[in-house]
Amino acid sequence: MFKKTYKPFALLTLSFTLLLAGCSGGNNANSTNESQPKSTQTAAPLATTVPTVDMLKIAGSNNGYPSPFAFSSSGPFGYLRNSFIFDTLTWKDDKGVIPWLAKSWETSKDGLTYTFKLEENVKWHDGQAFTADDVVFSYNYYKTYPYNWNGDISQIKSVEKVNDLTVAFHLNNTYAPFLSDLVGIVPIIPKHIWEKVTKPVEFRDAAALIGTGPYKLKKYDSASGQYLYEANDNFFKGQVLVKEIAFVSAANKLLALQNGEIDQAYTTSYADVQSAEKAGLKTIKSDPTGSVVRISFNMDHPKLGDKRLRQAIAYALNREEISAKVTGGTPMVGNAGVVPTDSPWYNKNVKQYAYDPAQAEKILDELGYKKNANGVREDLKLNLMTSSAMPDATMMKEMLKKVGIELNLVQLDSAAFTVALGENKYDIALTGHIGASGDPDYLRLWFSGKAANTFSSRGKSLKLDEFHKLADKQMQEVNDVKRHEIVNQMQDILAEELPTLVLYHRPFYEIHKAATFDRWKNTYGGIADGMPLWENKVFLVNVKK
């Protein structure tokens, strides 16, 4: 029934090369994409012990209580804090998907069943043994009490225990990103603790943070939003290299680094990178970029519901200038088809909107929005909603003023902003978020209202039937070339209809003291569902398997 699968590392590297080169040959039985890696990898001898670090201080903020049900979904850091404590069946390093709680797996010929061999002698933090029962329980529990991040478990028909260390997943249909974006995201929780919990969001007993991960939470200060983690000395994957990690608040991260108050931070400012490097600090740029700063249009708005108006606004915005001034680095103008332009999934032939105020004026005139004596189109006054004082908003206001559109800036706190997004109580919303480094299935989740990140208009579905048909088709297509063709079509629809306009793709930069800890790398395809960040637990472990 089952076919043997292949080791992920070489296969993923080959796949990425093929994607970049645009090669065909997708009918080859061994062809796969980064979301469908396969492994028969088995345990190797323990790696040579390396020196450890007593304490690592990382700039952070309050991302909620780090249980699988209570962390904040307003950004990636809640997920990352949780991932230090809880493990998944697969994970990612700098080369791609790797075995984690599962040491190997096989896939049925029809692609509908994955059978995982689990690691032996894995212990929960309380000393109890981890078994297949925990895996089956976890996925069944999440059907009743949803996990607080992505991981589309609706793709799973059932999870079956074969024996104590073997579990089989039966899918409703083939699902291309199953290994990276489902079992590589959704954490396994201990059955012996959670089977009696009926209000998981409110569960704050110490047992709520019992995982199998490389760290345990030693202290969490909800008032200051600071966390202290301590190493799990019995971690099954190998030696944990940093004994304690503190996520601490830092008003000025660059200054805090220079003063020795923290050892690592991130920034989106290229000016900070230049200053950091002059100060002897080491920096890493996210690759791929994996971040978007975009405006979302209320498609139910009586005027913005007309795509011609949305297109006019796109022509009126000098997005290259916005990008250059805000990020300070080389501008990466947003793809009208959303996928970052440095992604292997980018459609290079997709329709774009170069800065062309004359074309914007022409469209606005054709729509009947006439200018008064002051050059203002009185029948076209719009609100731009933001969740922070983003300089992008001020520049947009001035650029749209030049074509006669009066833009009123409305700033809300994060909570009010996400509520307004979900309830369509806005004209245009300006937001920035990440998660675009990996598998393109995020396009389906974002525009069907299923994305976990509250800044992705969670709960609101795009009313474009053809787009959703393609979205469902691409997630079931495991042939690289065919899937690329489908994703290209999805980008074409987004670029034509413009439910959202990406202003620019924003690089993230990691800054750290190399003398303290220097094992950070970019994760291939981004951590979990495409986070272009560096707090990947795999780089904190001297992995033996």
Side-chain angles (χ1 to χ4, degrees), residues 82-104:
N82 173 259
S83 72
F84 277 36
I85 300 171
F86 294 88
D87 288 316
T88 50
L89 293 179
T90 67
W91 194 243
K92 287 182 187 175
D93 64 6
D94 57 315
K95 295 183 174 63
V97 173
I98 58 173
W100 206 248
L101 278 172
K103 65 180 181 180
S104 65

Side-chain angles (χ1 to χ4, degrees), residues 70-197:
F71 64 79
S72 171
S73 60
S74 63
F77 296 102
Y79 175 88
L80 292 172
R81 303 292 180 270
N82 173 259
S83 72
F84 277 36
I85 300 171
F86 294 88
D87 288 316
T88 50
L89 293 179
T90 67
W91 194 243
K92 287 182 187 175
D93 64 6
D94 57 315
K95 295 183 174 63
V97 173
I98 58 173
W100 206 248
L101 278 172
K103 65 180 181 180
S104 65
W105 53 85
E106 295 179 341
T107 312
S108 63
K109 290 182 178 180
D110 61 8
L112 296 178
T113 299
Y114 288 76
T115 300
F116 294 90
K117 295 289 186 182
L118 305 178
E119 286 283 1
E120 302 173 3
N121 302 316
V122 177
K123 301 291 185 182
W124 293 101
H125 292 157
D126 62 3
Q128 296 238 21
F130 158 79
T131 72
D133 290 321
D134 296 305
V135 179
V136 175
F137 168 79
S138 296
Y139 279 89
N140 287 333
Y141 191 81
Y142 289 131
K143 289 180 180 179
T144 302
Y145 307 105
Y147 177 54
N148 204 26
W149 198 247
N150 292 329
D152 189 357
I153 65 170
S154 69
Q155 304 300 324
I156 299 172
K157 182 178 181 180
S158 63
V159 185
E160 169 194 5
K161 174 184 176 181
V162 178
N163 57 48
D164 282 348
L165 292 173
T166 308
V167 63
F169 284 73
H170 304 288
L171 307 185
N172 294 312
N173 44 255
T174 52
Y175 183 51
F178 176 75
L179 291 173
S180 62
D181 284 25
L182 210 173
V183 296
I185 290 178
V186 178
I188 307 304
I189 56 177
K191 177 181 178 181
H192 66 277
I193 290 173
W194 292 92
E195 63 183 341
K196 298 178 182 178
V197 178

Side-chain angles (χ1 to χ4, degrees), residues 78 96 98 105 109 172 226 272 291 307 349 391 410 458 545:
I98 58 173
W105 53 85
K109 290 182 178 180
N172 294 312
Q226 301 190 107
D272 284 350
S291 173
K307 72 177 180 182
N349 296 316
V410 180
R458 183 167 62 181
K545 301 177 183 179

Side-chain angles (χ1 to χ4, degrees), residues 294-305 310 383 385 412 415-429 446-449 454-463 499-500:
R294 62 179 177 131
I295 53 174
S296 291
F297 297 103
N298 183 346
M299 302 289 278
D300 295 331
H301 188 278
K303 295 176 181 176
L304 290 167
R310 303 193 295 271
N383 292 322
M385 181 178 74
L412 303 177
F417 181 90
T418 55
V419 170
L421 270 182
E423 296 179 352
N424 263 19
K425 293 180 178 178
Y426 66 98
D427 297 347
I428 307 172
W446 283 12
F447 295 104
S448 62
T454 53
F455 290 110
S456 301
S457 299
R458 183 167 62 181
K460 302 302 296 183
S461 180
L462 182 63
K463 296 175 183 176
T500 189

Side-chain angles (χ1 to χ4, degrees), residues 184-376:
I185 290 178
V186 178
I188 307 304
I189 56 177
K191 177 181 178 181
H192 66 277
I193 290 173
W194 292 92
E195 63 183 341
K196 298 178 182 178
V197 178
T198 57
K199 295 182 178 180
V201 175
E202 301 174 13
F203 187 42
R204 293 292 191 278
D205 189 273
L209 300 181
I210 295 295
T212 56
Y215 286 92
K216 305 173 185 179
L217 186 67
K218 187 174 183 179
K219 185 178 180 181
Y220 166 52
D221 186 339
S222 59
S224 64
Q226 301 190 107
Y227 302 76
L228 179 61
Y229 288 83
E230 61 180 350
N232 173 13
D233 292 331
N234 298 313
F235 187 50
F236 71 98
K237 291 297 286 187
Q239 176 192 14
V240 182
L241 300 177
V242 179
K243 294 307 177 183
E244 289 190 323
I245 297 180
F247 293 97
V248 300
S249 300
N252 185 320
K253 291 183 283 189
L254 187 57
L255 184 61
L257 275 164
Q258 294 172 330
N259 291 341
E261 298 166 17
I262 57 175
D263 305 302
Q264 180 192 339
Y266 83 91
T267 183
T268 58
S269 169
Y270 187 64
D272 284 350
V273 172
Q274 293 175 310
S275 298
E277 290 178 345
K278 288 180 181 178
L281 298 165
K282 188 171 180 178
T283 65
I284 306 173
K285 180 181 179 181
S286 59
D287 182 22
T289 303
S291 173
V292 298
V293 174
R294 62 179 177 131
I295 53 174
S296 291
F297 297 103
N298 183 346
M299 302 289 278
D300 295 331
H301 188 278
K303 295 176 181 176
L304 290 167
D306 189 326
K307 72 177 180 182
R308 293 174 297 172
L309 176 55
R310 303 193 295 271
Q311 291 174 346
I313 291 173
Y315 283 120
L317 296 174
N318 188 338
R319 293 178 288 144
E320 182 173 359
E321 180 182 332
I322 295 174
S323 174
K325 288 185 175 179
V326 173
T327 67
T330 303
M332 186 180 287
V333 176
N335 171 21
V338 177
V339 175
T341 53
D342 63 349
S343 167
W345 294 98
Y346 169 59
N347 176 4
K348 64 180 180 180
N349 296 316
V350 73
K351 178 179 181 178
Q352 299 294 356
Y353 297 83
Y355 178 53
D356 190 345
Q359 179 64 11
E361 297 259 25
K362 180 176 180 292
I363 296 173
L364 293 170
D365 289 340
E366 290 173 351
L367 289 172
Y369 297 114
K370 302 301 181 183
K371 290 182 177 179
N372 62 19
N374 296 319
V376 177

Side-chain angles (χ1 to χ4, degrees), residues 10-62:
L11 185 59
L12 285 167
T13 303
L14 174 62
S15 176
F16 187 58
T17 302
L18 289 174
L19 293 182
L20 287 175
C23 297
S24 58
N27 291 326
N28 187 311
N30 293 345
S31 177
T32 187
N33 59 39
E34 69 130 356
S35 62
Q36 197 73 347
K38 301 167 183 178
S39 172
T40 53
Q41 186 159 324
T42 55
L46 179 65
T48 303
T49 300
V50 299
T52 60
V53 175
D54 289 335
M55 168 70 78
L56 189 62
K57 294 169 289 184
I58 302 175
S61 58
N62 191 4

